[in-house]
Amino acid sequence: MSTFEVRRSAVIPATPEEIFPLVNSFHEWEAWSPWEQVDPGMSRRYYGPDSGVGAGYEWSGNRKAGSGTMEIVESRPSDTVRIRLQFTKPFKALNPTTFTFTPAPGGTEVTWRMTGENKGAAKVFALFMNMDKLVGSDFERGLVALGQAVAAKKNS
């Protein structure tokens, strides 16, 4: 199948108002993104506003980190962050990504969802690698780290 969806959710023991700012600003992602440690020499550039619609992030790293851009295209406080995620290496791909924040027993259910379509070389790659298995564990690690980052902010 050429289209895919990767989705993971976790309940973080905090309010949406406490979690949202850590996702709504790419400057905060270094504290929790599962990909920030993939390449210690990775170059990063932020552009646009510090947070919300128009905030952007560009990275370029080793073969494992790849390169690309992310830009927030929708930001509804304590509810939703939509991101235009575009990879330029190792494969060119556009993967719309959404974070939602829903009050739940024990805190906030954070759902991280990425969709995409495998084209060209990525389509061949997808025959051998399941995107859900490939990226899903990263999402799970990221959600755990997001919970830890929120707890650290609450305790500071």
Side-chain angles (χ1 to χ4, degrees):
M1 180 178 280
S2 63
T3 60
F4 66 88
E5 175 184 277
V6 179
R7 177 192 306 246
R8 294 294 187 275
S9 296
V11 174
I12 295 176
T15 66
E17 294 78 15
E18 292 170 315
I19 304 166
F20 180 81
L22 292 162
V23 177
N24 196 48
S25 171
F26 294 123
H27 296 273
E28 300 287 348
W29 284 47
E30 283 189 58
W32 62 268
S33 171
W35 299 294
E36 283 295 326
Q37 308 309 317
V38 168
D39 176 6
M42 183 167 61
S43 68
R44 299 168 182 85
R45 182 178 75 85
Y46 301 94
Y47 57 91
D50 284 343
S51 63
V53 174
Y57 173 80
E58 179 179 27
W59 79 94
S60 180
N62 61 20
R63 280 187 22 205
K64 195 169 181 183
S67 63
T69 61
M70 294 190 289
E71 185 173 326
I72 296 176
V73 295
E74 182 181 356
S75 175
R76 291 191 310 227
S78 304
D79 181 75
T80 304
V81 175
R82 291 188 199 285
I83 299 167
R84 182 182 191 274
L85 169 59
Q86 185 164 14
F87 293 97
T88 52
K89 289 181 183 175
F91 300 110
K92 290 186 178 190
L94 180 62
N95 299 107
T97 301
T98 305
F99 288 85
T100 56
F101 309 88
T102 307
T108 301
E109 181 178 42
V110 179
T111 300
W112 188 351
R113 178 179 180 256
M114 180 178 76
T115 60
E117 187 174 346
N118 292 313
K119 298 178 181 177
K123 194 170 189 176
V124 174
F125 179 77
L127 293 173
F128 305 99
M129 290 301 298
N130 177 304
M131 286 300 288
D132 188 76
K133 287 183 181 176
L134 186 67
V135 180
S137 61
D138 291 337
F139 281 18
E140 291 164 9
R141 281 195 335 274
L143 289 168
V144 167
L146 179 59
Q148 292 167 343
V150 170
K153 283 230 184 234
K154 287 170 71 169
N155 293 328
S156 64

